[in-house]
Amino acid sequence: MKWIALFAALVVALTACTHDTPSTTVHLDDPGRCTPVDVAAAPEITGLLEDLARAFNGSSAARLHAGPATCAFARVQPVEPAAAVQYFLDGWPDPDKVGPPPALWAPASSAWLTLANARFARAGRPPLAAGGTSLGRTGLAVAMPAPMAKALGWPEKRIGWRDLAQLAANPRGWAAYGHPEWGAFRLGKANPAHATDALLSTIAMSHLGDASTTSALESSVVYYGVASWGFLDNWFRLDQKRLPTSYVSAVVTDERAVTAYNAGSANGLIPDNKHLKRPHTPLTAIVPSDGTLDADNPLIVPDASWVRPETRAGAAAFVAYTRTAAAQKKIVAAGLHRGDAIDPASPELRTTATALDRWARTRKRSRVLLLFDVSDSMGDKSDPKDPSSPTKIALAKRALRAALSEFAPDDEVGLRIFTTDIRNSASPFWADVVPIGRFDRQRRALTHAVDALAPRKGSPLYAAARDAYDTMARRYDSKRINAVVMLSDGYNEVEHDNNRRALLAHLREPTRMFTISYSPDADISTLRRIAQATNAQCYDATDPKVIDDAFRAALANF
């Protein structure tokens, strides 16, 4: 029997919206007569665990000596750790969609277990688990182009969060270090509610007890996102144009990702191919001198009703296999260092939940225009082969409603539709159905407006993108993340406005254009280029079933 699980938001978020996007499904093989050991893994270690599972399955290490089954069979599914926390709280609902409930959870850091246990306690429930066994460690790092790191005095000088915050708060920016051409200090940091490296950095900074450091660094963030790899991808693209210092000054990530980048891989995974194109300007991995935590990549057996004795025995056999010399060789080759798991009740991690709550109050606020395609093709079925499937617009509306929870009460949000059948004084191609305003004051209006969206006529893709960008750029707020989130399932249908080169030349930082390529009919090339023009991200939802993940990933930037 094969199980199919939708890849979490991380899958659709991190590529440059190309057809090289990893598959949005993962197939879990039939275990035969063996006991299945389903592993829910953080996407960044899924490939390594799949490799280990292939070596384990069918080997003597997989033999069981008790129970009806004589062997264990490990099957790995990628599940974003933050999503897994919620699935555990909900009893792992809808396994047909998210995959089978796991006998092993590999969330990249014990901080996620600490968070899960805190939320279980809040619900009056016993802990999910007491701890786990470390697959291997990778250190938290701040990646920085080598010339910038040297300008700060590295490697002779150890650099910490306070040093970076001092630079971020300095109105002279990099001019204070002799490089006015680099402008202000700009930080790339993922959303700690989604990304392990960002969560660990948030915990580490909270232990400084220095609100001004946290405030300065969060104020310097260009945008957030579900993972640091999106920043590395943009960095690598700009490096190939010899513009590595034009984007961000630093990115919160991990040491393995820096090693991978310098080897020619911007997706955080150390490549097997030793002949990839290397960056012209390598990155330096700065380990903050005043506070850091390792990602310990624990293997955790949850205390859940679905983990039967034979399943627990199979999970223990797989964990034991990861400690063997053969497995450790693979783990080291993947860039991890051997180490024991962090106790989730340790002083370092005990503050995980409070650090995350504090970040939600102090993170940089946003000003966002949601730009929604209501062309006639949005009324098509999401699955052309299934007449009973919902329409594309029905799926997109549901996804947008759910993703609105990513906004903070004092974020500023508006909703604009675009099609060739608009009748208003502002434009024949778009209409603001909810003007930009405080989210807490108009969430109900936004929800009602989304509910009312319906397909109309054609797609003025270029005019809609240009005018939305202009709307945001004219009233740019330097204290906020200023952005457009544009969903489109089509291509430009306005003949007299079809100059893509002129459109792309018009778009530039610091206003960002995040785009979602929705369904196979979307002009994915143009949507990718629009995002790249402002060094933002493009999200691939050409499979309409992943539109929930795409919207959630897009709004996690704020």
Side-chain angles (χ1 to χ4, degrees):
M1 177 180 185
K2 286 188 176 181
W3 291 87
I4 300 177
L6 287 179
F7 212 119
L10 198 55
V11 170
V12 295
L14 300 182
T15 66
C17 217
T18 70
H19 293 294
D20 295 330
T21 302
S23 170
T24 56
T25 60
V26 58
H27 299 271
L28 301 178
D29 294 331
D30 185 346
R33 295 183 178 181
C34 296
T35 294
V37 177
D38 289 306
V39 184
E44 57 262 43
I45 56 172
T46 294
L48 171 60
L49 283 167
E50 286 177 334
D51 191 20
L52 293 172
R54 282 191 293 269
F56 169 79
N57 295 334
S59 73
S60 60
R63 293 175 188 165
L64 300 180
H65 304 291
T70 60
C71 54
F73 189 94
R75 311 185 299 186
V76 183
Q77 56 180 323
V79 181
E80 186 188 358
V85 170
Q86 190 61 50
Y87 296 157
F88 282 123
L89 283 166
D90 295 340
W92 210 268
D94 198 5
D96 288 335
K97 179 181 179 182
V98 302
L104 270 178
W105 182 32
S109 170
S110 291
W112 296 109
L113 175 59
T114 306
L115 184 64
N117 286 344
R119 292 184 177 171
F120 270 60
R122 194 177 300 170
R125 296 161 60 181
L128 176 66
T133 300
S134 177
L135 184 69
R137 292 176 176 272
T138 184
L140 178 67
V142 177
M144 183 176 285
M148 288 180 157
K150 290 178 181 177
L152 291 179
W154 184 91
E156 290 79 12
K157 176 186 175 183
R158 297 188 66 196
I159 299 169
W161 300 114
R162 291 186 178 90
D163 298 304
L164 299 178
Q166 184 178 17
L167 172 55
N170 192 324
R172 297 182 61 209
W174 281 104
Y177 290 85
H179 289 279
E181 72 277 12
W182 294 343
F185 176 82
R186 300 182 297 276
L187 180 64
K189 178 189 175 186
N191 188 318
H194 295 272
T196 296
D197 48 24
L199 177 60
L200 294 177
S201 70
T202 299
I203 296 169
M205 283 189 281
S206 73
H207 288 191
L208 296 177
D210 185 348
S212 62
T213 291
T214 300
S215 176
L217 288 174
E218 294 296 338
S219 296
S220 71
V221 167
V222 293
Y223 55 86
Y224 293 100
V226 293
S228 62
W229 304 338
F231 297 110
L232 300 178
D233 185 72
N234 272 338
W235 231 344
F236 197 91
R237 175 176 54 82
L238 292 167
D239 174 88
Q240 297 306 299
K241 298 178 181 179
R242 306 295 178 118
L243 297 171
T245 60
S246 65
Y247 175 36
V248 289
S249 308
V251 170
V252 175
T253 184
D254 60 57
E255 292 176 307
R256 184 171 72 145
V258 176
T259 299
Y261 181 95
N262 289 339
S265 172
N267 65 3
L269 304 178
I270 296 175
D272 294 329
N273 185 349
K274 306 300 183 184
H275 303 290
L276 294 178
K277 183 181 293 186
R278 305 295 180 93
H280 299 294
T281 301
L283 297 180
T284 295
I286 296 172
V287 178
S289 59
D290 49 4
T292 186
L293 288 170
D294 287 352
D296 57 329
N297 298 290
L299 297 175
I300 299 162
V301 180
D303 186 10
S305 59
W306 59 77
V307 185
R308 303 184 305 275
E310 61 270 26
T311 311
R312 188 175 295 273
F318 182 62
V319 171
Y321 171 74
T322 67
R323 312 305 294 170
T324 65
Q328 286 294 311
K329 185 176 180 180
K330 294 177 183 291
I331 291 168
V332 171
L336 301 183
H337 305 287
R338 183 167 181 149
D340 296 327
I342 297 174
D343 177 1
S346 68
E348 294 91 347
L349 296 184
R350 196 177 298 150
T351 59
T352 297
T354 55
L356 198 55
D357 289 343
R358 189 179 300 117
W359 173 83
R361 297 191 297 270
T362 60
R363 68 163 176 79
K364 192 172 185 176
R365 293 316 197 235
S366 62
R367 183 170 173 269
V368 180
L369 179 62
L370 303 170
L371 184 60
F372 198 99
D373 188 342
V374 291
S375 57
D376 51 3
S377 58
M378 288 288 284
D380 296 343
K381 294 294 184 180
S382 55
D383 183 352
K385 297 178 181 178
D386 181 5
S388 65
S389 66
T391 61
K392 289 189 287 184
I393 199 168
L395 285 182
K397 287 162 60 173
R398 184 190 70 188
L400 178 54
R401 282 195 301 269
L404 288 174
S405 60
E406 294 285 346
F407 287 115
D410 52 347
D411 282 330
E412 296 177 355
V413 187
L415 176 63
R416 176 179 291 187
I417 59 172
F418 68 98
T419 183
T420 54
D421 186 28
I422 298 288
R423 295 180 178 86
N424 67 21
S425 58
S427 170
F429 298 134
W430 53 263
D432 288 322
V433 292
V434 180
I436 294 175
R438 275 183 60 114
F439 180 63
D440 58 352
R441 296 173 183 168
Q442 56 188 39
R443 179 166 189 165
R444 182 175 297 180
L446 283 165
T447 302
H448 290 330
V450 171
D451 289 341
L453 296 175
R456 297 197 184 184
K457 201 173 180 181
S459 175
L461 184 67
Y462 293 3
R466 182 181 58 249
D467 290 358
Y469 169 85
D470 287 346
T471 295
M472 300 304 290
R474 277 195 298 268
R475 296 187 177 180
Y476 181 82
D477 185 341
S478 62
K479 295 183 179 180
R480 293 177 179 265
I481 301 166
N482 297 253
V484 176
V485 176
M486 179 181 194
L487 174 137
S488 175
D489 80 323
Y491 52 90
N492 188 58
E493 296 179 88
V494 179
E495 292 185 3
H496 67 269
D497 188 355
N498 61 359
N499 190 332
R500 189 174 83 164
R501 180 175 296 180
L503 168 64
L504 297 176
H506 185 71
L507 309 176
R508 61 180 61 86
E509 296 185 82
T511 299
R512 312 283 173 177
M513 294 284 292
F514 296 92
T515 58
I516 300 175
S517 177
Y518 186 41
S519 89
D521 300 322
D523 185 352
I524 193 169
S525 172
T526 294
L527 292 170
R528 179 184 69 244
R529 295 288 299 278
I530 287 172
Q532 288 178 345
T534 62
N535 291 322
Q537 302 293 329
C538 175
Y539 303 91
D540 186 347
T542 48
D543 177 357
K545 292 193 296 293
V546 303
I547 187 59
D548 299 74
D549 291 337
F551 256 125
R552 191 167 70 95
L555 299 194
N557 289 293
F558 314 117

